[in-house]
């Protein structure tokens, strides 16, 4: 037998044996178990296993990479994450909120949308927010009805972004919407003491020269969160009762020009392009190009008669967050030719 080289023998003893992959993964799985199941802190795991905390951190990262740890989000009952995801992806929305609704009556839909929008506003409102709001929307009125007085950050102003004067029977309702939202958010209300639709361009020019009206209009550029409704060519009941609407022949003119809906009486077509006619010059309110500059625009809309209008509105580039009901969400996707698995569970 030949003699073993002592130097080589010493080298064999100092070189670590290769670690098999299964042993490595076993250790990673054990670290993941202690962290995720036993709820131990990384420092405790490091002390227990006699390794550094940096090693524990690396192993936890590897646990995800090796799919030892997998994250699963289970949507709770009454939520529609598939519909929301499809809306976000297709229309490029920042967020989509789809609410449950067992009936397709307008009143039930508006109530559910209003509740969800109220929660979203409460949860996401920032300090010194300047909130722009259209006062002629029943769904926005439902939102205000569901907001709790905020104990956290307070808004700076609540600004009426569409003329609020109209039929006396409706005027107090529109004014109360703005003033109540201001009180609930700790803000100062700024009313737009002018009609939504002036009788002529000359009448509009005279009204917006009033210093109080002009002061409110100047706040439009400071709005950080706008809460809007989406109208179809046929005006809502609240707007129709207010008198802040165009005549039937004038609305027919908008339809013939390609309009499918409006935001604050600013009309757009199916591709989201503004429809500009002479009627646009009579509107006293925030134009679409000004809304596009607002940091966040929250749109509340639902119902079968609104599908084409909502689809067009989502293409204007104005809306960041849409709150709608599950039936309307499914119809929107079907309207766009998207047959997703989410639709099968909706109708």
């Amino acid at each position: 037998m030949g003699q073993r080289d002592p130097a080589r023998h010493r080298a064999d003893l100092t070189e670590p044996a290769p670690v098999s992959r299964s042993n490595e993964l076993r250790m990673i799985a054990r670290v993941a178990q202690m962290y995720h199941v036993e709820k131990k802190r990384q420092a405790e795991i490091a002390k227990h296993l006699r390794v550094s905390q940096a090693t524990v951190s690396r192993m936890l990262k590897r646990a995800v990479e090796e799919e030892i740890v997998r994250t699963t989000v289970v949507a709770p009952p009454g939520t529609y994450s598939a519909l929301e995801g499809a809306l976000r992806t297709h229309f490029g929305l920042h967020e989509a909120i789809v609410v449950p609704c067992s009936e397709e009556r307008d009143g039930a839909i508006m109530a559910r949308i209003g509740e969800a929008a109220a929660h979203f506003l409460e949860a996401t409102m920032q300090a010194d927010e300047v909130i722009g709001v259209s006062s002629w929307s029943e769904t926005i009125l439902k939102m205000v009805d569901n907001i709790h007085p905020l104990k956290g950050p307070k808004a700076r102003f609540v600004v009426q972004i569409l003329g609020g004067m109209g039929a006396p029977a409706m005027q107090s309702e529109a004014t109360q919407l703005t003033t109540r939202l201001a009180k609930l958010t700790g803000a100062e209300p700024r009313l737009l003491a002018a009609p939504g639709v002036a009788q002529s361009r000359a009448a509009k020019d005279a009204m917006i020269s009033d210093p109080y009206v002009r002061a409110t209009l100047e706040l439009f550029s400071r709005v950080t969160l706008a809460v809007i409704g989406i109208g179809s060519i046929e005006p809502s009941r609240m707007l129709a009762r207010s008198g802040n609407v165009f005549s039937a022949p004038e609305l027919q003119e908008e339809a013939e020009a390609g309009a499918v809906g409006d935001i604050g009486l600013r009309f757009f077509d199916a591709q989201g392009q503004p429809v500009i006619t002479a009627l646009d010059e009579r509107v006293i309110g925030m134009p679409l190009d000004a809304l596009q500059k607002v940091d966040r625009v929250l749109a509340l809309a639902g119902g079968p008669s609104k599908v084409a209008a909502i689809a067009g509105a989502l293409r204007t580039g104005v809306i960041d967050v849409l709150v709608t009901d599950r039936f309307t969400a499914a119809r929107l996707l079907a309207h766009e030719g998207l047959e997703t698995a989410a639709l099968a569970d909706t109708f």
Side-chain angles (χ1 to χ4, degrees), residues 47-340:
K47 183 177 180 181
H48 180 83
L49 293 178
R50 304 297 195 275
V51 298
S52 69
Q53 192 166 332
T55 298
V56 171
S57 181
R58 282 196 299 272
M59 286 186 175
L60 290 172
K61 184 179 178 182
R62 281 286 305 283
V64 174
E65 293 171 351
E66 298 286 352
E67 296 189 340
I68 294 169
V69 172
R70 303 178 187 182
T71 302
T72 302
V73 178
V74 180
T79 62
Y80 302 92
S81 58
L83 287 173
E84 291 171 347
L87 289 173
R88 286 195 305 269
T89 300
H90 184 71
F91 290 106
L93 291 166
H94 183 70
E95 285 298 333
I97 300 169
V98 175
V99 302
C101 188
S102 58
E103 300 179 59
E104 290 191 77
R105 292 183 298 105
D106 285 348
I109 289 172
M110 288 188 288
R112 300 290 84 77
I113 291 173
E115 290 169 3
H119 179 269
F120 182 83
L121 188 144
E122 290 176 10
T124 66
M125 197 191 79
Q126 303 297 301
D128 295 322
E129 198 99 71
V130 178
I131 303 173
V133 62
S134 174
S135 58
W136 298 111
S137 167
E138 289 181 86
T139 312
I140 295 176
L141 184 60
K142 295 291 185 184
M143 180 196 78
V144 175
D145 286 341
N146 283 280
I147 292 176
H148 302 90
L150 300 186
K151 297 178 181 178
K154 305 297 184 183
R156 181 71 183 89
F157 296 109
V158 171
V159 183
Q160 204 167 351
I161 59 174
L162 176 64
M165 294 179 67
M170 298 297 298
Q171 177 57 37
S172 61
E173 195 166 348
T175 301
Q176 286 177 17
L177 187 156
T178 305
T179 54
R180 282 176 56 210
L181 180 57
K183 184 176 181 180
L184 289 165
T185 57
E188 178 184 336
R190 288 296 182 88
L191 302 174
L192 185 54
V197 180
Q199 291 299 310
S200 65
R201 176 56 191 266
K204 173 182 173 178
D205 290 342
M207 291 172 190
I208 64 177
S209 66
D210 178 90
Y212 294 103
V213 173
R214 191 166 61 249
T216 300
L217 295 174
E218 288 172 354
L219 279 175
F220 285 2
S221 63
R222 294 175 57 187
V223 170
T224 57
L225 168 63
V227 184
I228 62 169
I230 299 171
S232 57
I233 290 295
E234 184 70 25
S236 69
R237 290 172 299 179
M238 185 176 181
L239 189 60
R241 292 196 305 269
S242 76
N244 284 283
V245 290
F246 296 111
S247 66
E250 288 170 335
L251 291 174
Q252 181 62 31
E253 179 184 338
E254 293 288 341
E256 290 173 357
V260 296
D262 77 280
I263 296 173
L265 297 180
R266 307 292 186 173
F267 290 88
F268 50 81
D269 64 18
Q271 302 307 314
Q273 295 301 309
V275 174
I276 306 297
T277 67
L279 303 180
D280 195 65
E281 296 182 350
R282 292 164 47 199
V283 176
I284 302 177
M286 184 178 280
L288 293 178
D289 58 356
L291 270 175
Q292 285 181 323
K293 298 174 184 176
V294 175
D295 184 50
R296 289 192 301 158
V297 175
L298 173 64
L300 285 56
S305 65
K306 294 281 188 76
V307 173
I310 296 171
L314 293 176
R315 288 195 167 91
T316 62
V318 165
I319 297 167
D320 300 293
V321 182
L322 173 69
V323 187
T324 192
D325 64 279
R326 66 188 182 107
F327 297 109
T328 302
R331 286 192 173 96
L332 270 171
L333 296 172
H335 178 271
E336 297 293 303
L338 299 175
E339 295 296 335
T340 69

